[in-house]
PDB file of all heavy atoms in Angstrom:
ATOM      1  N   THR D1436     160.583   1.771  21.775  1.00  0.00           N
ATOM      2  CA  THR D1436     159.681   1.231  22.786  1.00  0.00           C
ATOM      3  C   THR D1436     160.067   1.824  24.135  1.00  0.00           C
ATOM      4  O   THR D1436     159.333   1.672  25.133  1.00  0.00           O
ATOM      5  CB  THR D1436     159.857  -0.283  22.900  1.00  0.00           C
ATOM      6  OG1 THR D1436     161.248  -0.557  22.965  1.00  0.00           O
ATOM      7  CG2 THR D1436     159.247  -1.011  21.696  1.00  0.00           C
ATOM      8  N   LYS D1437     161.181   2.567  24.199  1.00  0.00           N
ATOM      9  CA  LYS D1437     161.546   3.151  25.444  1.00  0.00           C
ATOM     10  C   LYS D1437     160.567   4.299  25.769  1.00  0.00           C
ATOM     11  O   LYS D1437     160.266   5.139  24.924  1.00  0.00           O
ATOM     12  CB  LYS D1437     162.965   3.740  25.266  1.00  0.00           C
ATOM     13  CG  LYS D1437     163.690   4.092  26.539  1.00  0.00           C
ATOM     14  CD  LYS D1437     165.167   4.336  26.202  1.00  0.00           C
ATOM     15  CE  LYS D1437     165.752   5.285  27.231  1.00  0.00           C
ATOM     16  NZ  LYS D1437     165.654   6.697  26.852  1.00  0.00           N
ATOM     17  N   PRO D1438     160.102   4.316  27.052  1.00  0.00           N
ATOM     18  CA  PRO D1438     159.163   5.409  27.364  1.00  0.00           C
ATOM     19  C   PRO D1438     159.828   6.748  27.223  1.00  0.00           C
ATOM     20  O   PRO D1438     160.990   6.929  27.582  1.00  0.00           O
ATOM     21  CB  PRO D1438     158.727   5.122  28.787  1.00  0.00           C
ATOM     22  CG  PRO D1438     159.516   4.004  29.277  1.00  0.00           C
ATOM     23  CD  PRO D1438     160.327   3.430  28.155  1.00  0.00           C
ATOM     24  N   LYS D1439     159.046   7.726  26.732  1.00  0.00           N
ATOM     25  CA  LYS D1439     159.589   9.093  26.627  1.00  0.00           C
ATOM     26  C   LYS D1439     159.748   9.700  28.022  1.00  0.00           C
ATOM     27  O   LYS D1439     158.992   9.343  28.960  1.00  0.00           O
ATOM     28  CB  LYS D1439     158.631   9.988  25.863  1.00  0.00           C
ATOM     29  CG  LYS D1439     158.416   9.499  24.386  1.00  0.00           C
ATOM     30  CD  LYS D1439     159.584   9.928  23.512  1.00  0.00           C
ATOM     31  CE  LYS D1439     159.458   9.415  22.103  1.00  0.00           C
ATOM     32  NZ  LYS D1439     159.160  10.430  21.101  1.00  0.00           N
ATOM     33  N   VAL D1440     160.740  10.552  28.178  1.00  0.00           N
ATOM     34  CA  VAL D1440     160.991  11.143  29.458  1.00  0.00           C
ATOM     35  C   VAL D1440     160.537  12.605  29.456  1.00  0.00           C
ATOM     36  O   VAL D1440     160.985  13.393  28.622  1.00  0.00           O
ATOM     37  CB  VAL D1440     162.473  11.052  29.832  1.00  0.00           C
ATOM     38  CG1 VAL D1440     162.774  11.789  31.136  1.00  0.00           C
ATOM     39  CG2 VAL D1440     162.889   9.613  29.933  1.00  0.00           C
ATOM     40  N   VAL D1441     159.668  12.956  30.366  1.00  0.00           N
ATOM     41  CA  VAL D1441     159.251  14.351  30.568  1.00  0.00           C
ATOM     42  C   VAL D1441     159.788  14.846  31.871  1.00  0.00           C
ATOM     43  O   VAL D1441     159.597  14.289  32.914  1.00  0.00           O
ATOM     44  CB  VAL D1441     157.687  14.463  30.592  1.00  0.00           C
ATOM     45  CG1 VAL D1441     157.283  15.942  30.703  1.00  0.00           C
ATOM     46  CG2 VAL D1441     157.099  13.849  29.343  1.00  0.00           C
ATOM     47  N   LEU D1442     160.573  15.948  31.759  1.00  0.00           N
ATOM     48  CA  LEU D1442     161.121  16.546  32.942  1.00  0.00           C
ATOM     49  C   LEU D1442     160.286  17.772  33.317  1.00  0.00           C
ATOM     50  O   LEU D1442     160.074  18.665  32.538  1.00  0.00           O
ATOM     51  CB  LEU D1442     162.581  16.971  32.669  1.00  0.00           C
ATOM     52  CG  LEU D1442     163.391  17.444  33.874  1.00  0.00           C
ATOM     53  CD1 LEU D1442     163.650  16.334  34.806  1.00  0.00           C
ATOM     54  CD2 LEU D1442     164.737  18.033  33.362  1.00  0.00           C
ATOM     55  N   VAL D1443     159.739  17.766  34.569  1.00  0.00           N
ATOM     56  CA  VAL D1443     158.923  18.857  35.012  1.00  0.00           C
ATOM     57  C   VAL D1443     159.702  19.690  36.063  1.00  0.00           C
ATOM     58  O   VAL D1443     160.172  19.131  37.039  1.00  0.00           O
ATOM     59  CB  VAL D1443     157.589  18.350  35.643  1.00  0.00           C
ATOM     60  CG1 VAL D1443     156.754  19.490  36.120  1.00  0.00           C
ATOM     61  CG2 VAL D1443     156.843  17.487  34.641  1.00  0.00           C
ATOM     62  N   ALA D1444     159.840  20.985  35.794  1.00  0.00           N
ATOM     63  CA  ALA D1444     160.681  21.795  36.651  1.00  0.00           C
ATOM     64  C   ALA D1444     159.898  22.953  37.211  1.00  0.00           C
ATOM     65  O   ALA D1444     159.052  23.550  36.548  1.00  0.00           O
ATOM     66  CB  ALA D1444     161.891  22.305  35.898  1.00  0.00           C
ATOM     67  N   CYS D1445     160.245  23.361  38.457  1.00  0.00           N
ATOM     68  CA  CYS D1445     159.765  24.613  39.050  1.00  0.00           C
ATOM     69  C   CYS D1445     160.834  25.119  39.964  1.00  0.00           C
ATOM     70  O   CYS D1445     161.922  24.556  39.982  1.00  0.00           O
ATOM     71  CB  CYS D1445     158.421  24.395  39.762  1.00  0.00           C
ATOM     72  SG  CYS D1445     158.570  23.518  41.305  1.00  0.00           S
ATOM     73  N   GLY D1446     160.545  26.142  40.712  1.00  0.00           N
ATOM     74  CA  GLY D1446     161.590  26.756  41.509  1.00  0.00           C
ATOM     75  C   GLY D1446     162.202  25.889  42.554  1.00  0.00           C
ATOM     76  O   GLY D1446     163.440  25.761  42.611  1.00  0.00           O
ATOM     77  N   THR D1447     161.387  25.193  43.360  1.00  0.00           N
ATOM     78  CA  THR D1447     161.949  24.399  44.444  1.00  0.00           C
ATOM     79  C   THR D1447     161.691  22.942  44.320  1.00  0.00           C
ATOM     80  O   THR D1447     162.186  22.162  45.123  1.00  0.00           O
ATOM     81  CB  THR D1447     161.298  24.875  45.807  1.00  0.00           C
ATOM     82  OG1 THR D1447     159.895  24.827  45.634  1.00  0.00           O
ATOM     83  CG2 THR D1447     161.747  26.249  46.217  1.00  0.00           C
ATOM     84  N   ALA D1448     160.898  22.535  43.323  1.00  0.00           N
ATOM     85  CA  ALA D1448     160.545  21.125  43.143  1.00  0.00           C
ATOM     86  C   ALA D1448     159.744  20.556  44.348  1.00  0.00           C
ATOM     87  O   ALA D1448     159.743  19.417  44.631  1.00  0.00           O
ATOM     88  CB  ALA D1448     161.725  20.203  42.855  1.00  0.00           C
TER      89      ALA D1448
END
Side-chain angles (χ1 to χ4, degrees):
Chain D
T1436 50
K1437 195 168 154 270
K1439 298 281 176 110
V1440 175
V1441 182
L1442 188 66
V1443 180
C1445 71
T1447 51

